[in-house]
Amino acid sequence: MSASRARWLPLAVFGVILALLAAGVWLSRSPDRDALPSPLIGKPAPAFQLPVLGAPERLVTQTDLRGTPYLLNVWGSWCPGCREEHAVVNAFAKTGRVRVIGFNWKDEPEDATRWLAQFGNPYDLVLADYDGKAAIEWGIYGAPETFLVDGGGTILWKHVGPMTDATIREQLMPLVERLEAP
Amino acid sequence: MIRTALLALLLCLTWPQAARAQVAVDAAPLRFEDTAEERRFHSLVAELRCVMCQNQSLADSNAQIAHDLRREVLTLMREGLDDPAIKAHLVARYGEFVLYSPQVGPSTWLLWFGPLLLLGAGGVVIWRVVASRKQAAPLPPDDTETW
């Protein structure tokens, strides 16, 4: 090793460390940095049996939802992010492109009902997961979270955190269009 | 109603930036049948990571989802699943992230063997520096120095 190369080596090492640091800072800028990749993408929707909000005697299972694609939106009246997201979900439901199904997570039924009355109900159907057992099957760990499931019951997409108009436009719509294509 | 409103308010005050939220924690503690079950449970939840809070184990976390997952782990234990099966059950739902020591695989080999590679690379550099110094002629003694 020549003397000049030996002299530049520490600087080169410093440069590499600096680049790694910059990459770390750059990656941590992403608002989705806390989002875990779901292992359920491409897999069948997990088994569950849940009552419908407001009609506890009516039980719905994953096979009942098959036939046409649906968007499963996880929310709770206790969740500030869901409140923030709700206008976006309302607007998307109005387009009628895909059924929107609510997954009311660990909520008091009367709180959930009041919340929907106050802010609007975009859901075809709201499933109530009072004890959080079904949420574990879906790998849900916070609210809001949203899944897109196709007519055959396969999970195509998951979004963690509040959806925005940009999320709908850039991520969800291309998938919906692919589902609608003959 | 008032209780829920207060809890929501508390959540807003203590966690103003949180876009994603957790429900208030329910206090019902887990009950164990015997000390063996309790010991097994504690060692298992210490090896699992809380999915909500990044740097806490399932044992340490007070998040609602951690409460739910601890209950789930205990239920699975009572259903007769062994430790690897319980871990696999959670990995199938939440991904590798839930394990504090991830399995050796294509996506984790750098994590496992990276430090060893780095150590090897450092060793090679030191070896080459030492070898090149041996080749260089020793410095002549400097008589002008007084110390």
Side-chain angles (χ1 to χ4, degrees), chain A residues 86-173:
Chain A
H86 201 62
V88 175
V89 179
N90 274 329
F92 176 76
K94 280 211 185 80
T95 67
R97 301 285 286 268
V98 175
R99 282 186 296 166
V100 183
I101 292 174
F103 187 101
N104 185 227
W105 187 31
K106 304 204 78 161
D107 212 348
E108 301 288 344
E110 55 270 32
D111 290 343
T113 314
R114 198 181 310 115
W115 198 86
L116 289 176
Q118 192 175 352
F119 302 120
N121 184 354
Y123 305 114
D124 275 26
L125 181 74
V126 181
L127 306 170
D129 183 21
Y130 187 74
D131 59 9
K133 286 285 272 182
I136 291 176
E137 295 301 311
W138 281 83
I140 291 163
Y141 64 98
E145 280 183 19
T146 307
F147 297 82
L148 178 67
V149 184
D150 72 10
T154 303
I155 298 178
L156 298 182
W157 178 73
K158 177 182 179 180
H159 183 77
V160 169
M163 290 190 293
T164 60
D165 291 328
T167 316
I168 301 277
R169 197 172 52 238
E170 286 155 23
Q171 298 181 38
L172 183 59
M173 275 311 183

Side-chain angles (χ1 to χ4, degrees), chain B residues 98-128:
Chain B
V98 296
L99 301 178
Y100 253 125
S101 57
Q103 285 142 357
V104 183
S107 62
T108 54
W109 70 265
L110 198 64
L111 192 69
W112 277 96
F113 303 113
L116 212 64
L117 279 175
L118 225 55
L119 198 71
V124 168
V125 168
I126 289 172
W127 178 73
R128 286 190 60 176

Side-chain angles (χ1 to χ4, degrees), chain B residues 36-71:
Chain B
E37 182 183 64
E38 189 169 356
R39 207 174 303 127
R40 186 183 157 208
F41 174 81
H42 285 308
S43 76
L44 195 51
V45 290
E47 287 171 43
L48 294 166
R49 197 200 310 240
C50 167
V51 280
M52 188 71 188
C53 18
Q54 310 275 341
N55 290 321
Q56 269 184 317
S57 75
L58 214 47
D60 298 331
S61 174
N62 209 29
Q64 179 62 45
I65 186 70
H67 278 257
D68 289 355
L69 286 174
R70 282 199 291 269
R71 202 168 291 276

